[in-house]
Amino acid sequence: MSKNLETWEKAKRDGVKMSMITAYDYPFARMADAAGLDAVLVGDSLGMMVAGEADTLGVSLEQMVYHTGIVARGVTRALLMADLPFGSFEESPAQAFNAAARLVKAGADIVKLEGGAPMVETIAYLSARAIPVCAHIGLTPQHVRQFGGFKRQGKTPEAAARLRADAIALADAGARMVLMEAIPAALAAEITQVVAVPTIGIGAGPDTDGQVLVLHDVLGLNAGRVPGFARAYLDGATLMQAALARFAEDVKGRAFPA
Ligand code: KIV
């Protein structure tokens, strides 16, 4: 049962790769669950994929709670992870607890928060209060203003050493998983070796314990910038637009209703 975090820990020990996909609504959550994904992430990429925003910074806690609730209704088997959005957790561990508890009450099995060493105290605080946490490091999209864009991280030896130290500190503080985004494959492989908890990669090479992609990238539905590391398994936008065009034509041509 992928919902159980111990399943993930066992998978790491056994060398079994785990899969995760984002979802933001009930129909896609059901499909991901039925397709056998090990985890579904209600990501704050919601702002970009669903709301057409340029980044994730505008996503509110209320939106995350709402979408976590509707995704939770579609997921019975997979682990359900939900993002703490920008501005909902950084001030203090207590602020993070209040926000995380709302996501857990909406159905999340584990919450994810972005940030390295400055989040150690918060992760320890949440972990001690019954909230499992996944730490997200590397290209953390909530820091896009600070990074000056969606830029790969950990490229210099100093930056790589910092990320490695962050991953160890976050896992030691109680993080149950570490998600690494857009960092060198060799660094992600090394972090996966040194931390005891499962790692999940996105644009971080093949040697992490699991892989996550954004649903709209996988299904060819992303109307914005598709990262180079993503893989589309379907040209969903073309197929769906053609179906909608057929319906419009049928109405005009009086072929619908029959
Ligand atoms: O919000 C999101 O979709 C994410 C993934 C990119 C990992 O955090």
Side-chain angles (χ1 to χ4, degrees):
M1 185 81 162
S2 310
K3 265 202 176 301
N4 189 337
L5 280 165
E6 282 161 17
T7 309
W8 285 71
E9 285 146 12
K10 182 171 183 322
K12 180 179 179 105
R13 286 195 301 275
D14 296 346
V16 175
K17 297 282 186 182
M18 301 295 265
S19 60
M20 177 158 92
I21 192 84
T22 65
Y24 316 100
D25 64 19
Y26 178 72
F28 282 115
R30 274 178 63 115
M31 279 186 244
D33 201 52
L37 272 295
D38 296 302
V40 172
L41 166 66
V42 188
D44 60 357
S45 50
L46 167 73
M48 299 168 78
M49 297 306 130
V50 177
E53 289 165 7
D55 54 43
T56 61
L57 300 179
V59 176
S60 68
L61 180 60
E62 276 59 42
Q63 288 165 345
M64 289 305 300
V65 169
Y66 172 73
H67 284 273
T68 300
I70 60 178
V71 168
R73 283 198 281 281
V75 173
T76 58
R77 185 197 47 76
L79 185 83
L80 180 53
M81 186 182 289
D83 268 347
L84 282 166
F86 180 62
S88 72
F89 65 96
E90 301 89 336
E91 256 174 55
S92 67
Q95 184 208 22
F97 178 80
N98 288 327
R102 291 190 60 192
L103 295 176
V104 170
K105 283 174 195 282
D109 298 311
I110 179 168
V111 302
K112 175 163 80 59
L113 60 81
E114 296 186 12
M119 286 299 123
V120 162
E121 192 191 343
T122 295
I123 288 188
Y125 189 92
L126 296 183
S127 305
R129 287 164 181 76
I131 299 192
V133 186
C134 172
H136 182 160
I137 60 170
L139 197 189
T140 41
Q142 292 172 14
H143 298 86
V144 69
R145 299 269 205 282
Q146 204 173 33
F147 293 156
F150 290 89
K151 294 183 179 157
R152 289 186 75 76
Q153 300 296 308
K155 289 192 292 193
T156 65
E158 298 73 33
R162 227 177 5 256
L163 280 173
R164 187 181 186 279
D166 282 0
I168 293 170
L170 293 162
D172 285 350
R176 299 292 298 272
M177 293 188 190
V178 176
L179 189 148
M180 302 179 280
E181 178 165 354
I183 67 170
L187 174 62
E190 192 192 337
I191 291 174
T192 298
Q193 290 297 320
V194 296
V195 297
V197 298
T199 62
I200 306 167
I202 174 163
D207 296 321
T208 53
D209 298 313
Q211 294 287 333
V212 56
L213 282 177
V214 168
L215 178 81
H216 287 49
D217 293 340
V218 170
L219 298 183
L221 298 175
N222 183 351
R225 184 190 66 94
V226 179
F229 54 70
R231 182 181 293 175
Y233 288 81
L234 184 74
D235 185 0
T238 304
L239 288 172
M240 288 186 196
Q241 195 173 317
L244 293 173
R246 279 211 313 280
F247 170 57
E249 274 163 31
D250 282 357
V251 171
K252 290 269 183 270
R254 298 171 188 264
F256 181 87

